Amino acid sequence: MSARVAQINLSPGGVPKLPVARAHVGFGGVVGDAQSDLRLHGGPDRAVCLWSLDVIALLREEGHPVSAGSTGENLTLAGLDWARVTPGVRLQVGANVLLEITDYATPCRTIRHCFLKRRYGRISHKKYPAHSRVYARVLRAGELVVDDPVVLGVSAPA
């Protein structure tokens, strides 16, 4: 299966972020999206939050009531080896958008409703490597639509 954008998610602030068919990704993040706590979210190095649909499916098999967008990710991606999506890696998303992973997103109690017994630490990178959401900076802005291809490990922009 080729890697792809499974869902694009926006919110005026907080979670859940709700699906949209298309969006513009600018250097400040996904246009139309906002974060409730700018001390912990947003900014140039946390402009876009990404997560794996495959990890979400695994968590759902464990009984967690998590779904795409429920934990606040902007882009839900499918078909990537999520263990390879680490800080420093670049992702080409669609025809134009280039992202660079900057850090793992630390889970907080705001998303506790998405997990059995409210154990939101289930997606902590420290406890469960390769299950965490990640943050990215935008190296090249552009339009995205659901089902756009995603390529892991692309070179820097010219």
Side-chain angles (χ1 to χ4, degrees):
M1 171 172 84
S2 297
R4 66 182 179 82
V5 175
Q7 192 166 298
I8 301 167
N9 309 297
L10 304 177
S11 160
V15 293
K17 293 192 184 290
L18 301 176
V20 296
R22 63 183 335 106
H24 180 80
V25 177
F27 294 103
V30 181
V31 174
D33 184 59
Q35 296 81 33
S36 294
D37 186 347
L38 295 177
R39 293 173 300 123
L40 302 173
H41 308 288
D45 286 339
R46 298 178 298 202
V48 180
C49 185
L50 305 97
W51 204 21
S52 167
L53 185 63
D54 306 303
V55 171
I56 292 170
L58 172 74
L59 293 170
R60 289 186 66 80
E61 287 176 15
E62 292 176 5
H64 299 283
V66 65
S67 60
S70 66
T71 65
E73 82 275 8
N74 299 114
L75 301 179
T76 312
L77 307 178
L80 284 175
D81 177 356
W82 202 246
R84 294 181 58 206
V85 182
T86 59
V89 166
R90 292 184 171 152
L91 297 172
Q92 175 73 44
V93 186
N96 299 308
V97 176
L98 182 62
L99 303 175
E100 182 177 55
I101 305 304
T102 56
D103 204 356
Y104 300 101
T106 303
C108 68
R109 59 189 217 90
T110 306
I111 60 169
R112 65 187 179 273
H113 65 281
C114 297
F115 299 93
L116 288 174
K117 298 181 182 177
R118 302 163 73 86
R119 293 190 175 148
Y120 57 91
R122 178 58 186 84
I123 61 170
S124 165
H125 175 71
K126 291 178 183 177
K127 295 179 183 177
Y128 299 94
H131 290 180
S132 178
R133 298 161 299 156
V134 295
Y135 284 121
R137 73 173 54 98
V138 178
L139 300 178
R140 191 169 53 232
E143 298 295 318
L144 288 183
V145 297
V146 171
D147 287 328
D148 267 349
V150 177
V151 179
L152 181 70
V154 296
S155 299

